[in-house]
């Protein structure tokens, strides 16, 4: 990825501290460790994306989801995608990821290229400790995201 | 007997989950049931045995839209129980925190939840395709509220800075001063919002309300005052002598009634404005006169205008506080421990929120009572639905359900708080 494109690419991990819902944060934390110069943010809610899209030409979002396959599997969708509408993106509050992206489209803020990385998770439980296998999964997913961006 | 049932299985654009069941017999609206079917959340039970200082952070989780209201009612009730006096600086900052919550909650409800009903759109998203500037303005106003909550409360959803006796940490002057330019724009934008919604076409409906709200001699109410109704002023300590909660079979949220009255009562922006219009700050008061909002106003569809005036009020007060803020005193007064009993009522965006706590000698909670505004409004909503829909009983199920949803949204119900979205069912033969 060229330096210019890196600056115009926003990589956002959506998550919370609650159990498997933390996966979005863990993936972008690992990506930041690998590529400290990339434009990477942790978001508590997908709605926060609406304020982060100015000047962004490519958006990469990673979030937990349910209904895409076996727990621990991960998948990529290019927006717009009918399949995305059928999935439940795990969140603890506020607009879901698909709704937030739709709001960004209606408000003219959505960048030309949007890629969603969904990681299939189990139930999210408040106060549940992050499972150690989730951290391992985050390393695998972050590597896949990085490989896809570096071509 | 001719009978049909109309059900709204799940209300949209309200906070939480509930439904509506309408029964029509021989062309007459026979029964209206606002069905709140979410399981009880049991906060009052699991507060028992917790330390008093844990309570504000626990009750904040009752709602993601109005956590500050729960924090404010709980700290003031517990401070009353424990004999803690807060400083004038803390008092003003708590009003500022409440301004943040009113701004984010009112801006969201007016622009994305309620305005689509008046403009003929099925959702805020559809409305945004035709009224993008208004929606962008609403989102910007909501963001200001969230930014204020972050600066003073530590974070926008479920703030963490409220403590018994004050705050865990007072913000630095520059943290609050950084918000001033946005709030200067916000006062004017909020005035534009009021002029916009005042121009909507409102259904002709008079609820002839028994209003209930806090009143305070010197200010528009947030955290202090007596409870006013048409015939009496009641101290917050005497809520149970004047009001009573009771269970109905079709709702997991308790209803409430005013003792000695044979009809329900209404809390929220219309009630607050009814008792406190003369205590609005200058810009809000001038605007109320400019748009010619009748006083008293008993039309629930015009609650969006009252909410708008409160949006201006909150911006005006917040801006004044932001400009004058110079941290000087201690962040908090110290607690002396239990035992004690204390009550407090504050004005959540949706109306009066009453808390009462009994504290043990070791500082743990023996008993907690929480009476949310939407829970108090349930009976009034059913009463209004019956009046409003009675002349429409011959309409199609779709029309009835649509009119019912429009009316319900005017109260900005927070069913999650009361215990929690909606379904409408209409029975008819």
């Amino acid at each position: 990825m060229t330096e210019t494109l890196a600056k115009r690419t926003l990589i956002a991990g959506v998550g919370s501290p609650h159990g498997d819902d933390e996966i979005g944060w863990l993936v972008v934390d690992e990506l930041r460790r690998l590529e400290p110069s990339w434009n990477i943010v942790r978001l508590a809610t997908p709605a926060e994306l609406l304020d982060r899209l100015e000047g962004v030409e490519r958006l990469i979002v990673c979030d937990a989801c349910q209904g895409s396959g076996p727990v621990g599997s991960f998948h990529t969708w290019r927006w717009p995608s009918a399949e995305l509408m059928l999935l439940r993106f795990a969140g603890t509050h506020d607009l879901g990821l698909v709704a937030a992206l739709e709001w960004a489209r209606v408000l003219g803020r959505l960048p030309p290229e949007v890629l969603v990385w969904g990681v299939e998770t189990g139930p999210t439980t408040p106060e549940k400790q992050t499972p150690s296998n989730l951290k391992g999964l985050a390393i695998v997913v972050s590597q896949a995201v990085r490989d896809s961006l570096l071509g | 007997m001719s009978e049909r049932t109309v059900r709204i299985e799940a209300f949209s654009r309200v906070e939480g989950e509930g439904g509506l069941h309408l029964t029509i017999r021989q062309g007459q609206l026979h029964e209206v049931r606002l069905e709140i079917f979410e399981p009880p959340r049991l906060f009052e039970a699991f507060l028992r045995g917790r330390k008093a200082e844990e309570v504000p952070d626990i009750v904040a989780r009752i709602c993601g839209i109005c956590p500050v209201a729960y924090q404010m009612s709980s700290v003031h009730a517990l401070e009353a129980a424990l004999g803690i006096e807060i400083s004038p600086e803390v008092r003003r900052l708590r009003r500022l925190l409440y301004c943040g919550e009113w701004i984010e909650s009112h801006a969201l409800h007016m622009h994305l939840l309620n305005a689509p009903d008046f403009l003929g759109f099925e959702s805020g998203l559809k409305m945004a395709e035709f009224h993008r500037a208004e929606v962008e303005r609403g989102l910007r106003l909501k963001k200001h509220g969230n930014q204020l909550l972050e600066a003073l409360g530590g974070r926008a959803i479920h703030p963490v800075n409220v403590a018994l006796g004050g705050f865990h940490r007072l913000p630095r002057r520059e943290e609050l001063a950084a918000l001033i330019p946005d709030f200067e724009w916000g006062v004017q934008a909020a005035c534009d919002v009021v002029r916009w919604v005042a121009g909507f076409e409102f259904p002709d409906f008079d609820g002839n309300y028994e209003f209930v709200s806090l009143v305070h001699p010197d200010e528009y109410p947030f955290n202090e005052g007596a409870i006013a109704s048409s015939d009496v002023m009641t101290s917050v300590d005497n809520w149970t002598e004047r009001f009573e909660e009771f269970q109905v079979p079709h709702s997991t949220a308790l209803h409430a009634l005013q003792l000695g009255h044979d009809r329900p009562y209404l809390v929220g922006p219309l009630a607050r404005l009814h008792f406190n219009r003369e205590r609005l700050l200058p810009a809000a008061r001038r605007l109320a006169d400019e748009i010619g909002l009748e006083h008293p106003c008993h039309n629930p569809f015009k609650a969006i205008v009252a909410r708008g005036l409160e949006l201006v009020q909150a911006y005006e007060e917040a801006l004044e506080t932001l400009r004058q803020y110079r941290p000087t005193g201690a962040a908090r007064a110290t607690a002396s421990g239990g035992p004690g009993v204390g009550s407090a009522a504050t004005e959540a965006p949706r109306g009066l929120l009453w808390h009462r706590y009994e504290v043990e000698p070791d500082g743990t909670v023996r008993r907690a009572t929480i009476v949310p505004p939407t829970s108090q409004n349930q009976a009034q909503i059913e009463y209004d639905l019956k009046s409003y829909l009675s002349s429409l009983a011959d309409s199609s199920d779709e029309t009835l359900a649509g009119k019912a949803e429009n009316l319900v949204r005017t109260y900005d119900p927070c069913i999650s708080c009361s215990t929690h979205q909606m379904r409408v069912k209409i029975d008819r033969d």
Side-chain angles (χ1 to χ4, degrees), chain A residues 45 50-51 93-94 99 102-103 105-109, chain B residues 64-65 112 124-125 128-129 132 135-136 139 143 157:
Chain A
T45 67
L50 296 173
D51 295 324
H93 200 77
D94 221 337
E102 187 61 14
W103 268 106
R105 180 191 67 78
V106 169
L107 297 173
R109 301 182 191 179
Chain B
I65 304 292
L112 299 186
L125 200 58
E129 294 181 17
R132 187 166 148 186
V135 169
E136 293 271 17
L139 291 172
K143 186 177 170 186
I157 300 170

Side-chain angles (χ1 to χ4, degrees), chain B residues 92-93 96 176 316-325:
Chain B
R92 192 154 195 202
L93 286 175
L96 180 63
L176 295 188
E316 226 178 330
E317 176 164 341
L319 183 57
E320 190 180 335
T321 304
L322 293 172
R323 284 172 170 158
Q324 294 176 355
Y325 178 62

Side-chain angles (χ1 to χ4, degrees), chain B residues 309-336:
Chain B
L309 291 169
E310 289 189 335
L311 186 66
V312 176
Q313 168 78 15
Y315 263 103
E316 226 178 330
E317 176 164 341
L319 183 57
E320 190 180 335
T321 304
L322 293 172
R323 284 172 170 158
Q324 294 176 355
Y325 178 62
R326 305 281 188 282
T328 53
R332 58 191 293 198
T334 51
S336 58

